[in-house]
């Protein structure tokens, strides 16, 4: 990380504003990648995965309740990411989970009428 920071400072291709922005991002990532936060993120990820897998299995068996369980699993991932990580890192983690999750919620929701 320190080498990357030094490369940014030595770069002549970036303006001072770009260098400052990159240093802020790198600093935020460094602050957020602590063992405690990584452990908490793993726990949230496991809970979210279990909920979404259970929901998908229920939907496979045409049970409509699985759709709502799947939504809860996605919300756990998004909210958990925002609560664990601060600033830029939290936004990126929640945005990635949210984009894919909402895409699948829409795709499953289109077929909700076929479930009992």
């Amino acid at each position: 990380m320190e080498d990357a920071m030094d490369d940014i400072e030595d770069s002549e291709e970036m303006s001072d504003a770009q260098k400052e922005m990159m240093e802020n991002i790198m600093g935020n990532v460094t602050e957020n990648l602590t063992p405690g936060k990584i452990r908490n993120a793993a726990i949230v990820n496991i809970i979210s995965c279990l909920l979404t897998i259970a929901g998908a299995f229920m939907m496979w068996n045409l049970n409509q309740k699985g759709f709502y369980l799947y939504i809860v699993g996605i919300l756990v991932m998004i909210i958990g990411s925002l609560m664990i990580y601060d600033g830029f890192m939290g936004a990126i983690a929640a945005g990635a989970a949210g984009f894919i999750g909402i895409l699948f919620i829409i795709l499953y929701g289109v077929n909700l009428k076929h479930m009992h």
Side-chain angles (χ1 to χ4, degrees):
M1 230 17 162
E2 290 177 15
D3 290 339
M5 296 286 277
D6 291 339
D7 289 343
I8 291 170
E9 289 177 16
D10 295 340
S11 175
E12 295 179 11
E13 297 173 5
M14 292 187 195
S15 68
D16 289 339
Q18 290 172 326
K19 288 179 185 179
E20 184 178 337
M21 181 182 74
M22 289 300 294
E23 288 173 0
N24 288 339
I25 290 171
M26 298 289 273
N28 188 273
V29 169
T30 303
E31 289 173 10
N32 278 302
L33 290 180
T34 63
K37 287 187 178 186
I38 293 171
R39 182 185 60 249
N40 291 342
I43 292 168
V44 166
N45 195 6
I46 289 169
I47 293 168
S48 173
C49 287
L50 290 174
L51 289 169
T52 55
I53 288 171
F57 182 74
M58 290 172 74
M59 286 187 285
W60 180 264
N61 292 317
L62 301 177
N63 188 342
Q64 227 175 24
K65 293 177 186 175
F67 177 71
Y68 302 108
L69 187 60
Y70 186 86
I71 291 173
V72 169
I74 296 299
L75 289 175
V76 165
M77 178 57 79
I78 293 170
I79 294 168
S81 296
L82 288 172
M83 290 177 64
I84 292 169
Y85 296 118
D86 303 326
F88 181 75
M89 185 100 169
I92 293 296
F99 176 75
I100 300 295
I102 290 172
L103 176 68
F104 274 87
I105 287 170
I106 291 169
L107 292 172
Y108 288 137
V110 169
N111 293 302
L112 193 61
K113 61 187 171 211
H114 301 292
M115 297 179 211
H116 312 102

